Amino acid sequence: MRTRFITAFSLAICREKAPGQRECETGINKLQDLLRDLNQASLSAVSQNLPARKDNTLQGFVQNAETALRLAEEHIDPICHAGKSQAENLGHHVTSMATIIESLVSNIIGVSSNIVETKEQVNILERSRTVLESAVQFVCAAKESGGNPKATSLHPELDLSSQVSCFVDHGHCQFKVLRNIWQHVCVPL
């Protein structure tokens, strides 16, 4: 019994020290902080108290968010691949995606803050929260797989979360849903 405990403990320590694990944990924490920011903005919007950001125009926020959204999409396959077989690249890809999503969230809040209709503000923020929750799930699955090609039992979960991370909800890609909302409430680009 003691040998099993020592072996399990040793494996946990080795896993924690594996390439990409610390970066994944940092990325997960960053994404969870961003979720809190979105939730706070959503609460402010519901109470009709979301101050309009003036550091950019509505169109500027939309363009920046669109760019960040495209870049986040481009990170899904590399993270999925690294999560399955490239532990040495996993941390880099996750860190990069978390930084991109930070920009995305900032610009989404900027978009929302410059829309007059409270219902539309809340809609964008709620959809964005769904996207962000999927991103957290995806990074957790990548961290769990750890870039280990022998962890084949974990790969289906990573595949599934990468599909959800395209951030599919009820059969619709959440990235596309956000784009459609922006086109509806914003001046065409």
Side-chain angles (χ1 to χ4, degrees):
M1 183 70 162
R2 182 171 183 209
T3 305
R4 282 186 190 165
F5 175 75
I6 292 172
T7 302
F9 183 72
S10 298
L11 286 174
I13 289 175
C14 288
R15 182 172 194 162
E16 190 177 294
K17 303 272 185 199
Q21 292 297 299
R22 184 180 62 238
E23 293 89 343
C24 284
E25 192 61 38
T26 300
I28 291 166
N29 290 335
K30 184 180 227 178
L31 294 175
Q32 289 172 335
D33 288 344
L34 293 170
L35 259 173
R36 282 189 281 283
D37 293 347
L38 271 179
N39 286 333
Q40 186 58 48
S42 186
L43 288 172
S44 294
V46 166
S47 65
Q48 299 180 348
N49 209 15
L50 183 63
R53 286 191 30 205
K54 300 297 182 194
D55 52 313
N56 204 343
T57 64
L58 176 60
Q59 188 170 355
F61 283 124
V62 169
Q63 288 173 337
N64 291 344
E66 183 70 32
T67 299
L69 202 51
R70 185 180 38 75
L71 291 171
E73 282 177 305
E74 291 173 3
H75 277 71
I76 293 171
D77 286 339
I79 289 173
C80 193
H81 184 67
K84 289 180 184 177
S85 63
Q86 295 180 337
E88 68 278 5
N89 293 328
L90 182 59
H92 168 72
H93 290 304
V94 167
T95 299
S96 180
M97 186 171 109
T99 300
I100 290 164
I101 290 177
E102 183 174 28
S103 172
L104 175 63
V105 168
S106 174
N107 283 289
I108 285 171
I109 293 171
V111 167
S112 297
S113 75
N114 282 280
I115 295 173
V116 177
E117 290 291 321
T118 301
K119 182 179 177 182
E120 296 297 336
Q121 288 178 331
V122 173
N123 190 19
I124 288 173
L125 293 167
E126 292 299 316
R127 290 290 185 161
S128 301
R129 186 175 65 191
T130 301
V131 169
L132 199 47
E133 287 168 346
S134 296
V136 171
Q137 180 183 359
F138 176 54
V139 174
C140 286
K143 179 181 187 267
E144 209 46 45
S145 277
N148 183 352
K150 294 179 181 178
T152 56
S153 64
L154 300 173
H155 295 172
E157 177 64 28
L158 181 56
D159 287 332
L160 179 62
S161 68
S162 74
Q163 292 167 9
V164 171
S165 275
C166 171
F167 306 66
V168 176
D169 182 37
H170 304 297
H172 297 91
C173 178
Q174 288 301 303
F175 289 144
K176 291 178 185 171
V177 170
L178 283 175
R179 286 187 183 108
N180 290 339
I181 292 171
W182 291 336
Q183 289 172 358
H184 174 71
V185 299
C186 304
V187 177
L189 301 176

